[in-house]
Amino acid sequence: MSTILVIEDDVRTASEIEAALIDNGCAVKIAADGRAGLLEAVTGKYDAIVLDRMLPGELDGLGVLSTLRAAGIHTPVLILSALSAVDERVRGLKAGGDDYLTKPFEFLELTARIDVLARRRSVAMPETSLRAGDLEADLLTHTVKRAGKLIDLLPREYRLLEYMMRHAGQIVTRTMLFEDVWHYRYDEPTNVIDVHVSKLRKKIEATGAAAVIRTVRGSGYVLDAPD
């Protein structure tokens, strides 16, 4: 489900946009002016923003948009405006808008454009973390937590756990681990995988937490990740 922020001062228009987006399967938050919209956009996590160009008060739509982009917030923005001239559309896009829809508009077109922006954001956002049960791996810092508690892992142990988390619930063979984590060809028997898995188990189960790495005899290992 996409979560959409609508920054629109006209109560009727905001209500109609909200209804159309909800019918399209979205969750919607309404902000009635530029300041409230900016605060919500900065502090909330949204897949797209519908932004009225002509907002009342000191902070109009372009002001909101410019401030967001200057703050490094790149949530896709669809600008709504009664100003349909080409130079006005260009101004909106140059200010950081991703799309521009002139009033009056068809709600079917608005929801279609929002769908495109939300999909674009989901594709563009890089994966930064992995979760498997109560295990969480930060892909940027290479740190791991279990139930919120930091686990001290060596680089190889981290890569081993990351690989198993990416394949949670699936059997990963020793050959897969040796070739994909160690980057060596697995062509003769060795217990290196078993040794590292054993050390990893001890660390992630050190606090008495339930076992999550299960040995599948004759096959390999499974990282169980109950919800």
Side-chain angles (χ1 to χ4, degrees), residues 35-53:
R35 291 191 180 280
L38 179 60
L39 179 62
E40 190 63 41
V42 169
T43 58
K45 293 183 178 180
Y46 294 96
D47 297 293
I49 297 172
V50 178
L51 175 63
D52 184 25
R53 166 78 182 269

Side-chain angles (χ1 to χ4, degrees), residues 3-197:
T3 303
I4 312 299
L5 173 62
V6 178
I7 308 175
E8 168 63 67
D9 65 295
D10 184 83
V11 175
R12 180 177 177 180
T13 301
S15 180
E16 291 175 341
I17 292 173
E18 180 180 27
L21 290 172
I22 290 175
D23 285 345
N24 197 48
C26 300
V28 182
K29 174 74 174 183
I30 303 293
D33 59 58
R35 291 191 180 280
L38 179 60
L39 179 62
E40 190 63 41
V42 169
T43 58
K45 293 183 178 180
Y46 294 96
D47 297 293
I49 297 172
V50 178
L51 175 63
D52 184 25
R53 166 78 182 269
M54 306 297 289
L55 293 170
E58 298 178 358
L59 196 61
D60 67 359
L62 291 190
V64 171
L65 184 54
S66 299
T67 304
L68 285 177
R69 298 309 188 227
I73 296 172
H74 302 292
T75 307
V77 174
L78 170 62
I79 300 171
L80 298 181
S81 178
L83 304 175
S84 59
V86 172
D87 61 337
E88 292 296 340
R89 295 200 298 271
V90 170
R91 282 188 64 197
L93 295 173
K94 283 189 173 182
D98 297 272
D99 201 354
Y100 195 104
L101 185 60
T102 57
K103 299 179 179 181
F105 53 84
E106 295 291 335
F107 290 102
L108 185 61
E109 180 179 4
L110 178 131
T111 56
R113 288 173 181 252
I114 286 297
D115 282 345
V116 170
L117 292 181
R119 285 199 304 269
R120 184 186 303 168
R121 177 172 174 80
S122 66
V123 170
M125 290 185 66
E127 185 180 36
T128 59
S129 65
L130 294 173
R131 287 185 179 273
D134 59 358
L135 281 170
E136 180 181 4
D138 188 314
L139 301 179
L140 301 180
T141 62
H142 287 190
T143 55
V144 172
K145 293 180 180 179
R146 184 166 191 191
K149 184 175 181 180
L150 189 65
I151 301 172
D152 185 21
L153 298 180
L154 297 174
R156 183 80 72 182
E157 293 167 341
Y158 169 82
R159 292 196 295 273
L160 175 60
L161 182 60
E162 179 188 329
Y163 185 86
M164 298 185 76
M165 290 177 71
R166 289 186 183 276
H167 296 82
Q170 306 171 18
I171 295 176
V172 290
T173 66
R174 291 173 178 79
T175 300
M176 290 168 64
L177 293 172
F178 202 70
E179 294 183 352
D180 294 340
V181 177
W182 271 256
H183 302 297
Y184 293 127
R185 182 176 178 82
Y186 187 81
D187 54 9
E188 61 181 43
T190 174
N191 70 342
V192 66
I193 301 296
D194 305 279
V195 170
H196 279 81
V197 169

